[in-house]
Amino acid sequence: DYSEEQIDDMERMIRQSPSKWAYWKLKDPKGNPWKARWYQSEMIEGIMQGDRRIAARMGRRVGKTETMVVYCLWHAFHHRNTRLLIIAPYENQVRLIFMRLMELVADSDELRDCVKITKNPFIAEFGNGAKIMGFTGGANAGAQAGASVRGQRADFIFIDEIDYMSEEGIDAVTAIANEDPKNIGIWVSSTPTGKRSFFYKVCTDPNTGYKAYHYPSTVNPNFDDKMEGELRATMTAQGYIHEVEAEFGEETVGVFNKGAVERAMKEYNYSY
């Protein structure tokens, strides 16, 4: 038997770990305790150790959005009056994220009675004053790109499928962190499109300050020959490189070969 003091100490220890708390308080889609896969724990642990810029390049069916949502729930529940922003290019993507958030809350005895969720606007409000808010960032350039999120306050910003978002939208969202860049976190994730833009830079250049993670679909413990065959049969060769291998490869839309362009940009000694 454990004393009340020992039980309290164990609970405090569990609550300090998002992965352990999720196993204790959340359920997976099959109704089992939510168990983080090794790579999900790796990303979460990076934040817990102080990383404030995360760039996750992940393949299809790996669980990138799930990881983000679970961390958001842990953070909001354990930090009073915190403000977490979730941004995606399109409204239907934000809607799906909040649908999963609602499922996790509904299946949790700890969260069910203390979280109020609305879908217009997308807000999950916690009893401790914390809020998770969803916005569209815009996939196309223009005056409206990122307009919905301008002027918002945030303690942590989460951008899903960022490689499908316009540069203007990304600029509008990441500018929020300029208020306190050392403390306001930014977590970006996506399957790559091949564009050599913001996501490519933060995934390949350590000087941007982002901790880069790369997980192809093969890290999924359920990935097998059958799944590989199905994906190859339904995708182009370039699509497989982007969506499954999570490599940048070539841009799905463009005129020039990106590899050739990058080689041409290198400095050469043009002496004849």
Side-chain angles (χ1 to χ4, degrees), residues 105-176:
V105 168
D107 287 338
S108 172
D109 293 337
E110 180 157 87
L111 299 179
R112 189 182 304 118
D113 297 328
C114 71
V115 183
K116 178 183 177 183
I117 301 177
T118 61
K119 291 183 285 187
N120 188 21
F122 292 101
I123 298 177
E125 188 167 0
F126 291 67
N128 63 0
K131 290 182 180 179
I132 302 174
M133 307 176 68
F135 298 92
T136 55
N140 301 312
Q144 297 302 314
S148 65
V149 77
R150 283 186 172 90
Q152 294 292 333
R153 178 184 71 80
D155 296 291
F156 219 120
I157 302 166
F158 301 84
I159 313 177
D160 199 16
E161 298 298 1
I162 190 172
D163 216 19
Y164 294 86
M165 192 180 299
S166 70
E167 289 286 331
E168 290 86 349
I170 294 171
D171 288 345
V173 173
T174 55
I176 297 171

